[in-house]
Amino acid sequence: MKKKERQQNKKDISIKTQLKEPNKKFLNHLQVQANKMSELLGEKQGEQFMKDSLKEWPRLLERELKTLKKSKD
């Protein structure tokens, strides 16, 4: 691994560790967007959007997917 690649990897790691938990406003916004995507593009697209958006916070993913499914019912 080259020196520049190692430095970039260190930067990537430090950026990831600095991410804070998303706030309620952000999560509500994601729910609205995912609901609209589900309406227009199908349920799987809405769920995939939610998964992609919350990949940095896997512990929140299951709860938010449940919320998304409840809002459709």
Side-chain angles (χ1 to χ4, degrees):
M1 192 179 268
K2 296 180 183 177
K3 186 176 181 178
K4 284 187 177 184
E5 290 176 6
R6 283 194 299 261
Q7 288 174 341
Q8 183 61 40
N9 285 344
K10 286 181 183 178
K11 287 179 185 177
D12 290 343
I13 290 169
S14 66
I15 289 170
K16 288 181 181 178
T17 58
Q18 293 174 2
L19 289 176
K20 295 181 180 179
E21 290 280 314
N23 61 21
K24 190 67 177 167
K25 186 175 180 179
F26 175 79
L27 293 174
N28 287 338
H29 182 71
L30 281 181
Q31 288 291 337
V32 170
Q33 287 182 313
N35 276 323
K36 194 62 170 178
M37 288 183 83
S38 294
E39 281 179 32
L40 299 174
L41 304 172
E43 188 174 327
K44 288 188 179 192
Q45 286 294 96
E47 288 181 13
Q48 188 60 48
F49 172 75
M50 187 66 72
K51 288 176 184 177
D52 292 342
S53 299
L54 293 174
K55 67 183 174 190
E56 299 296 328
W57 304 282
R59 69 177 198 80
L60 298 175
L61 183 59
E62 187 176 334
R63 182 185 75 199
E64 294 302 317
L65 284 174
K66 285 180 184 177
T67 303
L68 179 64
K69 289 179 182 179
K70 284 181 184 178
S71 68
K72 291 179 200 171
D73 296 337

